[in-house]
Amino acid sequence: MKRLCLMLSLLLCALLLPAASFAQSGENELAACLNQRYPGFEKAVYDQWGNTAAAVFIHNGRKILCLMEQTNGQWQITVDNPNALDQDAPLPSLLLNSDQALYWSYSDYPSVTYSSLRETGGVWQMPTEEVISSAMEENIVELVFYQDGQIVHQWALEDKEGNEKSRAADETFPAPWLEDMTTLQAFDLSRFPVLGYTEYEGEWPDNAFMAQAAAALMPEYTYLRGTFSGGYLRFLMQKADGTKVFVGVDDDEGSLRLTESTPLPQDVTYGVENFTDSLGWQENAVCVSLKKYTVEDSRWGVSYMGFGDISFGPQCMRSDENYTLLYFGSHPWNDMTKIDWSTLPTTEEEAADCVNGSGYAMVKNPDPADRLHLRTEPTKSAASLGKYYTGTPVKVIRVQGDWVQVDVFGRQGWMMKKYLDFSEPYTIDLTIFPGYDGVEWKKDPDVYQKPDENAGTIKAPNWMNTYVIGILEDGWYHIWNPWTDKSGFTKAIPSMRVG
């Protein structure tokens, strides 16, 4: 960041001494070069470094950015691009701090600077955007750039002397439709996410970019509203026949996948009060948030109803009124490509009536603090595959006398029938699980597909909202996140005591 501050200092010098950067004769030569292609141009600003020069000027009412190269004493234009400049702003200042780096800046608050670097072969690359704003006695320095098909947004907090105090980055999001403008010559600022002009504080990216993204992805639809959150693009779109739909976009399989909801009510809006990524209709009597449950699961489904009153995972439901009580089972709102929006519940009771636990049972020990063996064979003398807490849902494979063959989130074995509850609806008292508010780890856990450190690990945004459902031998914990339906095995030690 100190390097960036140095660049700003150099830029200020260029602003204070614009005519001193090179001799008047050199400026005249550059003007003559420009005049051959843009006769009658006006209000030019120049800078030069050796045989490389840059200019911004106005021609026929448009602002244009040019780069020029001198060969055998003659100047030639190598880049000329009006789309690289903000046509609604005054001419920016220029700085060539070498013949390999160009900066152009707008001095209005917040300070915005674009930079382009010349790569091997002489090609000037797509610019990086830098925005500097103030927060009390600190500066917020944000960077936006395109890399490998993704838009990257980074920011850092600095003191007034330019010393970095902290650094962070938003999740990158896919933007392959920008692949056609990866050079300065092809760059179009109107298609690039711009910082400092968002409708809500902290909203990212700006609405203009979301509209551009929607037009690139769904040219037959009309963009109404969009957001980027949780690593995914989300849009409210209108089809040619007037139907409104929600579209979720992910690249979890390596290429962009668009998932479209069933038709929404015609009075639907996107961004209800401060729930900026929620859908609402009927004068906001209904508020629904949609999300993609897991990376592997292509479904988008309901995550919240009401104003955070009822929460959903792929196979569970919980209300704010009974925060520690989880209803387990599938429900009709876990796939937005099939949802009948007129069936949305208005109460916890209505939602619970639609949770279907068919094909499952639930561990129910006489003493809730005790745990039930999962055995390799249907006999008490068989080896134990782990001991599971009351409330653990198990998938029933078959019943054999006093034993039931079950699948506990991918781990198969036998449990005693008398310690399983088969009566729906299945309600899980989350307080029975260790760390029922969500397991906190002493360090980020490595979670494996099997209780084997040579097995593959499981990727997830985080494992914070998880529960320890079982304890195995050799220090392994079986954990489960009902909001993503992900489970796995870890040796990482939870911060609370697990008995």
Side-chain angles (χ1 to χ4, degrees):
M1 287 302 172
K2 288 186 176 181
R3 182 189 64 82
L4 294 173
C5 292
L6 176 59
M7 293 299 101
L8 291 176
S9 299
L10 291 171
L11 183 58
L12 289 174
C13 292
L15 285 170
L16 293 173
L17 300 171
S21 58
F22 55 95
Q24 185 67 42
S25 60
E27 186 173 307
N28 291 338
E29 291 178 5
L30 298 177
C33 177
L34 293 178
N35 198 57
Q36 292 179 6
R37 186 174 298 182
Y38 299 100
F41 72 89
E42 54 184 320
K43 295 185 178 179
V45 177
Y46 305 95
D47 200 9
Q48 181 181 359
W49 186 287
N51 292 323
T52 302
V56 289
F57 56 91
I58 299 174
H59 182 256
N60 292 337
R62 296 202 74 193
K63 302 175 183 68
I64 301 173
L65 169 68
C66 275
L67 278 160
M68 293 168 280
E69 299 295 329
Q70 183 175 232
T71 305
N72 298 325
Q74 297 295 318
W75 288 100
Q76 292 184 338
I77 295 174
T78 57
V79 173
D80 58 342
N81 186 0
N83 296 323
L85 301 181
D86 184 345
Q87 295 295 321
D88 296 325
L91 281 176
S93 55
L94 279 177
L95 173 65
L96 275 167
N97 82 310
S98 73
D99 60 357
Q100 305 294 316
L102 171 68
Y103 299 81
W104 63 101
S105 296
Y106 298 93
S107 58
D108 289 344
Y109 183 83
S111 170
V112 181
T113 298
Y114 295 91
S115 60
S116 177
L117 303 179
R118 178 155 54 181
E119 302 293 341
T120 302
V123 177
W124 291 85
Q125 297 301 304
M126 178 191 284
T128 292
E129 179 186 57
E130 178 189 73
V131 177
I132 300 179
S133 55
S134 297
M136 303 298 287
E137 296 301 317
E138 299 167 323
N139 289 328
I140 300 173
V141 181
E142 299 179 81
L143 295 177
V144 182
F145 55 92
Y146 180 84
Q147 184 178 62
D148 299 328
Q150 307 279 330
I151 289 291
V152 181
H153 177 208
Q154 299 175 345
W155 59 273
L157 198 63
E158 298 179 350
D159 61 25
K160 293 301 182 180
E161 285 70 44
N163 299 305
E164 185 174 294
K165 301 178 67 175
S166 62
R167 174 179 289 272
D170 287 338
E171 291 188 69
T172 59
F173 61 87
W177 58 87
L178 300 182
E179 185 62 36
D180 63 341
M181 61 178 217
T182 55
T183 65
L184 178 57
Q185 179 64 46
F187 180 68
D188 186 343
L189 183 59
S190 68
R191 295 170 57 199
F192 195 72
V194 177
L195 291 166
Y197 303 96
T198 54
E199 183 174 351
Y200 296 99
E201 182 179 357
E203 186 183 31
W204 166 255
D206 61 294
N207 195 54
F209 177 74
M210 296 301 298
Q212 293 280 357
L217 293 168
M218 295 164 281
E220 304 299 321
Y221 292 9
T222 299
Y223 170 78
L224 300 176
R225 177 94 184 172
T227 61
F228 174 72
S229 60
Y232 300 117
L233 290 164
R234 307 151 189 255
F235 299 99
L236 178 62
M237 305 294 292
Q238 183 168 294
K239 302 170 74 169
D241 62 2
T243 300
K244 294 180 180 179
V245 292
F246 178 91
V247 180
V249 182
D250 74 86
D251 64 343
D252 292 334
E253 301 300 323
S255 59
L256 290 183
R257 173 171 49 198
L258 280 66
T259 305
E260 181 179 307
S261 75
T262 51
L264 295 164
Q266 278 302 298
D267 60 342
V268 67
T269 57
Y270 192 34
V272 183
E273 292 187 1
N274 62 322
F275 292 80
T276 55
D277 63 349
S278 296
L279 297 167
W281 57 86
Q282 298 176 0
E283 297 182 356
N284 294 342
V286 174
C287 177
V288 179
S289 295
L290 299 169
K291 75 173 185 179
K292 188 170 185 286
Y293 290 122
T294 68
V295 171
E296 297 84 2
D297 190 344
S298 63
R299 289 178 303 171
W300 285 70
V302 173
S303 57
Y304 294 100
M305 286 185 193
F307 291 88
D309 297 334
I310 305 177
S311 308
F312 288 89
Q315 293 198 101
C316 68
M317 184 275 286
R318 181 178 69 184
S319 75
D320 274 358
E321 291 184 3
N322 293 299
Y323 190 77
T324 61
L325 185 67
L326 189 74
Y327 294 87
F328 179 83
S330 62
H331 56 83
W333 311 291
N334 62 12
D335 186 347
M336 70 178 186
T337 66
K338 301 176 182 178
I339 292 177
D340 178 354
W341 300 100
S342 66
T343 67
L344 292 177
T346 57
T347 66
E348 175 186 346
E349 290 73 19
E350 290 179 8
D353 286 343
C354 295
V355 177
N356 181 7
S358 177
Y360 283 83
M362 190 179 72
V363 174
K364 191 173 184 180
N365 293 298
D367 179 358
D370 198 3
R371 286 168 278 128
L372 178 62
H373 281 286
L374 176 70
R375 298 195 181 274
T376 57
E377 300 292 339
T379 172
K380 287 185 178 181
S381 60
S384 176
L385 295 170
K387 297 176 68 177
Y388 288 85
Y389 284 95
T390 290
T392 300
V394 298
K395 195 171 191 177
V396 175
I397 299 175
R398 62 181 170 132
V399 178
Q400 181 176 307
D402 294 333
W403 291 85
V404 181
Q405 188 179 22
V406 298
D407 185 308
V408 188
F409 298 106
R411 190 163 176 79
Q412 293 187 7
W414 295 83
M415 287 181 168
M416 296 187 71
K417 183 179 179 181
K418 65 179 180 180
Y419 298 129
L420 294 176
D421 182 4
F422 294 86
S423 58
E424 296 184 61
Y426 297 120
T427 56
I428 302 172
D429 182 358
L430 295 175
T431 62
I432 294 174
F433 295 124
Y436 68 89
D437 285 330
V439 172
E440 295 182 1
W441 307 96
K442 293 182 178 179
K443 65 174 184 176
D444 292 335
D446 291 322
V447 182
Y448 297 87
Q449 299 172 10
K450 300 177 181 178
D452 180 352
E453 290 178 326
N454 294 317
T457 57
I458 299 173
K459 294 182 179 179
N462 65 69
W463 287 96
M464 298 303 293
N465 297 314
T466 58
Y467 304 100
V468 175
I469 57 175
I471 300 178
L472 287 59
E473 294 182 355
D474 301 324
W476 286 99
Y477 298 98
H478 196 170
I479 61 175
W480 171 53
N481 183 331
W483 310 113
T484 62
D485 216 26
K486 277 183 174 290
S487 67
F489 303 87
T490 184
K491 280 192 171 182
I493 301 174
S495 59
M496 78 293 295
R497 180 178 179 275
V498 177

